[in-house]
Amino acid sequence: MNDGWKFIKDDGWKNGQGWTQVRLPHTWNVDDVMDDEPGYYRGVGWYKKVFTVNSDLRDKDVSVYFEGANQETEVFINGKKAGHHIGGYTAFSIPISNLLKFGEPNELLLKVDNSYNENIAPLTADFTFYGGIYRDVYLTATNKIH
């Protein structure tokens, strides 16, 4: 699922313009550690991808598995919230079977936020708090009982 993504910072996605093509893994802070400007962007980034799920998976439990996204992530399928995850350093899976259109295009939309949050560790470090989907993403299908 790493190819064919679009990305935009902030809430620019609402006007439908400004999306750029990206391939995962991706971070919006890639150049921040190399510039001479103090600080770096900590805020919201949006990702979207259109994909089709084969109809023969209709009787399976289908999920999107993220190896890492920093640090708060909300996942939407076809305009409906599928789930969320807090924490930037652990993998997570979001079940999406009930929101999919099998055999048709589906839109996966993610809101990723690496803003400072005093409730999410670590609070300080000697590294950049990269924002984005910085590891691989997979579509998984399992039997209902697994």
Side-chain angles (χ1 to χ4, degrees), residues 1-7 20-27 47-51 64-69 108 110 132-140:
M1 293 277 288
N2 288 348
D3 292 323
W5 289 84
K6 293 184 179 181
F7 168 76
T20 58
Q21 291 286 132
V22 298
R23 184 182 193 293
L24 304 183
H26 174 265
T27 177
Y47 292 87
K48 72 176 174 178
K49 177 181 178 65
V50 175
F51 66 102
V64 183
Y65 178 78
F66 298 86
E67 287 187 340
L108 173 58
L110 272 78
I133 307 171
Y134 67 93
R135 292 188 182 145
D136 294 331
V137 174
Y138 300 92
L139 190 68
T140 62

Side-chain angles (χ1 to χ4, degrees), residues 24-96:
L24 304 183
H26 174 265
T27 177
W28 57 75
N29 300 112
V30 69
D31 294 324
D32 288 344
V33 296
M34 304 304 278
D35 64 24
D36 292 328
E37 299 294 321
Y40 55 92
Y41 180 70
R42 291 192 75 178
V44 173
W46 288 88
Y47 292 87
K48 72 176 174 178
K49 177 181 178 65
V50 175
F51 66 102
T52 302
V53 177
N54 197 318
S55 295
D56 63 357
L57 297 180
R58 189 179 310 275
D59 294 327
K60 303 282 186 182
D61 280 339
V62 180
S63 297
V64 183
Y65 178 78
F66 298 86
E67 287 187 340
N70 201 29
Q71 73 188 356
E72 293 184 70
T73 305
E74 292 182 66
V75 179
F76 302 86
I77 297 287
N78 299 320
K80 296 183 179 168
K81 188 170 181 177
H84 68 279
H85 178 77
I86 297 174
Y89 303 102
T90 55
F92 60 98
S93 185
I94 302 291
I96 61 172

Side-chain angles (χ1 to χ4, degrees), residues 104-116:
E104 300 177 43
N106 293 277
E107 183 183 71
L108 173 58
L109 182 68
L110 272 78
K111 177 183 179 184
V112 183
D113 187 347
N114 74 331
S115 298
Y116 176 81

